[in-house]
Amino acid sequence: MPARDVEQFIAEAISSVMRQSYTHWELIVIENASKDNTASVVKSFSDERIKLIHTDTAGLSNARNIGLETARGDFICFLDADDQLTVQSIASRVLLLNEKPEVMFADGGMLQYDERMQKVRHDWRPGFKGNPYREMMLLSPKCFCGITWMIRRMENMKLHFDTSWTHLEDRLFFLSIAKQGNYDFVNEVTYEIRRRRGSLMTELGSLEKAYARYRAHVNSLNELSPSIQLREQYLFHRMFFRTYLKHFRLVSVLRHGWYLASHKG
């Protein structure tokens, strides 16, 4: 759990871990150059399973790498400090991994809420089983909606986030390990995201650049045919056309709309 300036939310995130029906867990909180009382909130929980690490180096990927280096468990999962896990989140996915040794990545449904965690804004469910590498190369929503996978850690598996990425770093991370086994999921919701006010509007331009960078990275692997690369490019423009239209960013709407019109069919 990376944690930076989240004193308002982190108690709820930690409490969601403590409520887990599966009790054999460790929670590693990486306090990431906070300027508020985030660390004090974490220290208020007296549970030997919770470990607090301080780092003066800001950055989500750096914090996650510290957590990965510290973790001792056979299974790894992530929780952002303003999100929550459902009560059966760990237990259901551990059971799946124990019952299916060929599965390396266990997922579940995701609900996205408003900032107060009261109104559901989006309900995502996985729709894919098998090796997820190709799906992760594509703009496919079938097995990815964020940092929701539980990973079976193997001896020779390199688990490392690229710290040069500030957006889509989770998708790049999962792509980097996706060849190593199968993906499967449980039917219930396992992860709950808090959508904080203003975050999408603030990050939209950076997110678009990150998607373009991700597409360029995937194309550089030379594992997709030119026709599929063109299709993915079209889907990229369609996705951001619709997103910018929803938020009345007319200049960006026209930019993506021009591409869609000129490449119709």
Side-chain angles (χ1 to χ4, degrees):
M1 180 187 289
R4 184 182 187 193
D5 297 335
V6 284
E7 64 174 338
Q8 182 180 355
F9 307 112
I10 194 170
E12 294 179 46
I14 294 174
S15 295
S16 79
V17 178
M18 297 187 69
R19 288 193 299 267
Q20 292 298 300
S21 61
Y22 186 90
T23 59
H24 190 56
W25 49 260
E26 63 172 351
L27 173 60
I28 302 167
V29 181
I30 304 91
E31 192 277 306
N32 192 11
S34 292
K35 298 178 181 178
D36 66 1
N37 294 315
T38 293
S40 297
V41 175
V42 178
K43 291 177 182 178
S44 71
F45 288 86
S46 56
D47 192 310
E48 62 182 10
R49 295 170 297 179
I50 301 174
K51 183 173 185 177
L52 176 63
I53 299 175
H54 298 275
T55 176
D56 293 328
T57 304
L60 189 61
S61 292
N62 177 69
R64 285 176 176 158
N65 285 336
I66 293 173
L68 287 169
E69 292 167 1
T70 306
R72 296 170 297 168
D74 295 327
F75 304 135
I76 301 289
C77 63
F78 303 91
L79 176 62
D80 284 347
D82 52 358
D83 297 336
Q84 298 181 32
L85 299 179
T86 57
V87 173
Q88 297 293 331
S89 177
I90 296 177
S92 61
R93 290 180 289 169
V94 167
L95 179 62
L96 186 154
L97 289 168
N98 281 332
E99 289 182 341
K100 298 183 177 181
E102 74 279 7
V103 173
M104 298 291 294
F105 315 110
D107 208 350
M110 181 279 294
L111 294 179
Q112 181 188 105
Y113 288 85
D114 60 6
E115 186 167 358
R116 300 175 71 180
M117 298 295 282
Q118 293 179 349
K119 183 178 180 181
V120 176
R121 299 178 57 178
H122 183 61
D123 183 342
W124 176 86
R125 304 299 170 116
F128 175 83
K129 295 183 179 183
N131 187 279
Y133 182 69
R134 182 176 175 82
E135 294 298 319
M136 291 303 296
M137 286 195 295
L138 306 176
L139 288 178
S140 168
K142 294 180 181 180
C143 62
F144 175 80
C145 73
I147 196 76
T148 61
W149 295 14
M150 179 178 282
I151 302 166
R152 183 195 305 275
R153 185 161 65 174
M154 304 297 288
E155 184 176 350
N156 296 321
M157 179 184 287
K158 182 180 179 181
L159 298 175
H160 183 80
F161 285 82
D162 188 332
T163 57
S164 71
W165 289 61
T166 57
H167 297 75
L168 293 189
E169 73 290 332
D170 46 1
R171 190 175 191 116
L172 182 70
F173 169 76
F174 289 137
L175 175 68
S176 72
I177 60 176
K179 279 186 175 181
Q180 301 191 42
N182 287 339
Y183 169 98
D184 203 343
F185 59 87
V186 297
N187 292 323
E188 59 262 34
V189 172
T190 56
Y191 199 98
E192 297 176 326
I193 290 180
R194 184 193 306 269
R195 174 61 71 187
R196 291 155 72 174
R197 286 192 299 267
S199 59
L200 178 61
M201 292 296 288
T202 302
E203 297 294 325
L204 200 50
S206 298
L207 188 61
E208 180 187 352
K209 292 178 181 178
Y211 266 98
R213 183 183 179 187
Y214 187 82
R215 291 259 48 82
H217 172 73
V218 167
N219 291 343
S220 71
L221 300 175
N222 294 318
E223 297 187 44
L224 296 176
S225 68
S227 61
I228 292 180
Q229 290 184 29
L230 287 174
R231 185 197 69 182
E232 292 298 300
Q233 186 72 3
Y234 185 89
L235 292 176
F236 161 79
H237 284 281
R238 187 176 70 177
M239 176 174 64
F240 278 96
F241 172 83
R242 292 174 174 177
T243 302
Y244 282 122
L245 184 63
K246 181 180 178 180
H247 294 284
F248 304 104
R249 299 284 189 90
L250 296 183
V251 173
S252 297
V253 167
L254 291 174
R255 174 164 52 85
H256 289 284
W258 177 87
Y259 180 94
L260 294 175
S262 60
H263 292 79
K264 186 176 181 180

